[in-house]
Amino acid sequence: MAAWRDGRLTRREAIRRLLLLGLGASSAAAIAFGRPRPAGAAVPSQNFKGQTLVVTSFGGTWQQFMIDEHIPQFEAETGAKVELAIGLSKNWFAKMQAAGKDNPPYDIFVTNETYLAQLRAQGFFTPLPMDKVPNLRYVPKALRQPNDVGVLGLVGPLGIAYRTDLVKDPPRSWFDLGKYGTKTAIFSIGNSGEPQHVMKMAQAISGDYKSWKPAIDWIASHLCQARQVDFSGTELTMMTQGEVEVGMIDSPDWALMKAKGLPVAWVLPKEGYCGMFEQDMNVTAGSKVKDLGYAFINYWLSAPVQKKWAEKFYWTPANSQVSISPEVARLIPVTPDQLAKIPRWDYIWLNGSGAREAMTDAWNHQL
């Protein structure tokens, strides 16, 4: 196992080789993960041999982390097979709608709440029973959906980042973004982060986030020179190269820059965060392997697994029992006690009332 210890083998490959040597799945997993499994550990005790769980997953580094680090222990201990449905939220949403809630293409649907709220209201997801997802008891109420029909398992709040070597007058408010002209980055209206920005500005201007037109007017007047980015990765590149110096961004992406040594600071605006890129975890109502789905979400919410995601991608863990090192903690600026500063928007209203379409139309005409 020296190759596993020094990083030359992934956990999946280490477990596979141990199984070829004749070890049982539980023993192989215990060796590959470097310690006996204590009571209350991440892996469920049920045997789901022969069952397959279909889970939505983004591609790229997310997919690879799922394959190398997240899935192997779960598969080895349960006997189940996890199949990743690689894609994008909008496509998963469309496939769910087309298939209907009784015949879903996925057993586990994980993505941003903006794409899930309408499906939840239409009955596409089932409540998470506490006796089958016991790690829910460690998740703050602010991250649990009503009646536990879903849980926000990973949290990436939207705040402001800036280059400390280039900005002499740091931002303290969302309104300060208007001071930096072409050196400011905001999202394009097609990114789910920008409607959250609009609603936050509306809330700050009038107290009513559903009265969004004054917010569009303010953004058109004060951020007309700002660089609009399609997703956070574009902003990371631009901020790294100095093309932009200030921008709204999610905390995990700020942390990625900080971890690479870029001189960037994180700002909690005085009005609070404008929202988040969260990962909302759900079991589909029509799944034929619901118990396996509950076990998978319980596994994802466990402290050891949540810690792995925090250490790799700097997500704020949902499990309040997670203990992370000081080195990692400095890259996760949003702690459980700050969750109240993250607004929870009404996505049923945004996506179902015509507000989003009208917001997009106004944005395209004015910006």
Side-chain angles (χ1 to χ4, degrees):
M1 289 305 293
W4 156 236
R5 300 298 183 199
D6 64 17
R8 286 179 284 130
L9 285 182
T10 66
R11 288 175 176 171
R12 175 181 280 263
E13 180 62 17
I15 291 174
R16 188 188 71 82
R17 292 190 183 186
L18 288 166
L19 290 172
L20 289 175
L21 290 174
L23 289 178
S26 297
S27 299
I31 293 173
F33 283 83
R35 58 187 181 279
R37 182 159 57 90
V43 181
S45 60
Q46 298 100 318
N47 187 342
F48 296 102
K49 187 174 182 179
Q51 295 187 25
T52 298
L53 188 75
V54 181
V55 180
T56 59
S57 172
F58 302 111
T61 56
W62 182 287
Q63 176 185 359
Q64 202 59 49
F65 188 76
M66 291 286 283
I67 292 171
D68 291 344
E69 301 291 338
H70 188 89
I71 293 173
Q73 185 186 6
F74 183 82
E75 287 186 333
E77 290 280 345
T78 61
K81 176 69 176 177
V82 176
E83 178 182 313
L84 297 180
I86 307 301
L88 297 174
S89 302
K90 62 181 181 180
N91 298 328
W92 299 326
F93 177 88
K95 289 180 180 180
M96 287 284 284
Q97 290 277 30
K101 62 183 178 182
D102 295 327
N103 188 35
Y106 320 110
D107 301 297
I108 299 289
F109 199 143
V110 182
T111 192
N112 303 125
E113 172 64 8
T114 183
Y115 291 99
L116 290 173
Q118 184 176 340
L119 293 176
R120 181 179 296 109
Q122 294 172 346
F124 275 82
F125 306 123
T126 189
L128 304 175
M130 184 67 73
D131 62 330
K132 296 183 178 181
V133 191
N135 282 317
L136 272 175
R137 63 171 53 93
Y138 304 122
V139 178
K141 189 172 182 61
L143 301 182
R144 292 165 61 175
Q145 298 291 4
N147 301 314
D148 287 326
V149 184
V151 58
L152 306 186
L154 299 170
V155 182
L158 288 165
I160 297 174
Y162 70 94
R163 286 279 300 263
T164 57
D165 58 330
L166 300 175
V167 175
K168 304 307 178 187
D169 182 18
R172 297 176 178 82
S173 163
W174 287 109
F175 292 98
D176 288 341
L177 289 182
K179 299 191 299 186
Y180 306 103
T182 58
K183 294 297 183 178
T184 304
I186 59 175
F187 291 115
S188 62
I189 195 63
N191 184 293
S192 62
E194 193 53 43
Q196 297 186 69
H197 178 213
V198 171
M199 289 188 287
K200 186 63 184 182
M201 295 307 297
Q203 186 181 66
I205 291 169
S206 70
D208 179 7
Y209 73 83
K210 293 182 179 180
S211 178
W212 53 266
K213 291 182 180 179
I216 294 283
D217 292 341
W218 188 92
I219 292 171
S221 176
H222 295 84
L223 292 173
C224 56
Q225 297 183 70
R227 306 286 293 274
Q228 295 186 33
V229 298
D230 51 354
F231 78 116
S232 299
T234 303
E235 185 175 350
L236 260 67
T237 300
M238 295 173 70
M239 192 166 285
T240 298
Q241 296 175 349
E243 293 181 56
V244 298
E245 299 171 1
V246 181
M248 67 173 290
I249 199 167
D250 57 294
S251 62
D253 280 320
W254 165 80
L256 288 173
M257 292 189 288
K258 188 74 172 177
K260 293 177 180 178
L262 197 69
V264 287
W266 175 257
V267 178
L268 165 57
K270 65 182 184 180
E271 300 89 0
Y273 295 115
C274 79
M276 57 182 156
F277 289 154
E278 70 290 280
Q279 293 304 308
D280 195 338
M281 303 173 181
N282 298 265
V283 174
T284 54
S287 171
K288 306 303 186 291
V289 288
K290 287 189 181 69
D291 282 349
L292 179 58
Y294 300 141
F296 190 75
I297 289 182
N298 189 60
Y299 169 74
W300 205 331
L301 292 176
S302 68
V305 174
Q306 290 261 298
K307 182 177 181 179
K308 286 197 292 187
W309 282 86
E311 291 176 341
K312 178 66 175 180
F313 296 111
Y314 310 112
W315 289 93
T316 296
N319 188 319
S320 60
Q321 304 300 302
V322 174
S323 177
I324 55 179
S325 68
E327 292 73 21
V328 174
R330 72 182 182 87
L331 297 172
I332 302 178
V334 183
T335 53
D337 62 307
Q338 292 185 358
L339 293 176
K341 297 181 183 295
I342 306 173
R344 297 290 300 275
W345 307 119
D346 181 354
Y347 287 112
I348 299 295
W349 163 79
L350 179 66
N351 297 323
S353 69
R356 186 163 193 161
E357 291 81 359
M359 191 183 292
T360 299
D361 185 64
W363 180 283
N364 291 333
H365 277 84
Q366 294 182 241
L367 280 90

